[in-house]
Amino acid sequence: MRGIWKWIGLAGAAGVVAGGVLVARDQRRREAYTPDEIRARLHQRRAEATAAAKN
């Protein structure tokens, strides 16, 4: 019975580590944009949404 709990604990730890890696990767991707690039993308998305709403 001890062996089962050991593996469950290891699997949980691996899941936490994998989640941390995904969060760190996403954060690096977000920080790669300059404020001007973010603003331009937001304006582009707004224009696309407005155009889609008119159709």
Side-chain angles (χ1 to χ4, degrees), residues 42-55:
L42 288 173
H43 285 295
Q44 179 185 6
R45 287 173 57 189
R46 179 176 179 226
E48 290 171 358
T50 303
K54 288 181 180 179
N55 289 335

Side-chain angles (χ1 to χ4, degrees), residues 7-25:
W7 285 109
I8 290 173
L10 287 173
V16 169
V17 170
V21 167
L22 293 176
V23 168
R25 184 185 311 165

Side-chain angles (χ1 to χ4, degrees), residues 1 8-9 13 16 19 24 26-28 30 32-33 40 42 45 54:
M1 198 62 174
I8 290 173
V16 169
D26 185 52
Q27 184 67 24
R28 271 187 266 125
R30 267 189 269 129
Y33 295 115
L42 288 173
R45 287 173 57 189
K54 288 181 180 179

Side-chain angles (χ1 to χ4, degrees), residues 29-41:
R29 190 178 322 146
R30 267 189 269 129
E31 290 177 354
Y33 295 115
T34 65
D36 291 333
E37 290 173 330
I38 294 171
R39 189 175 302 110
R41 290 182 69 184

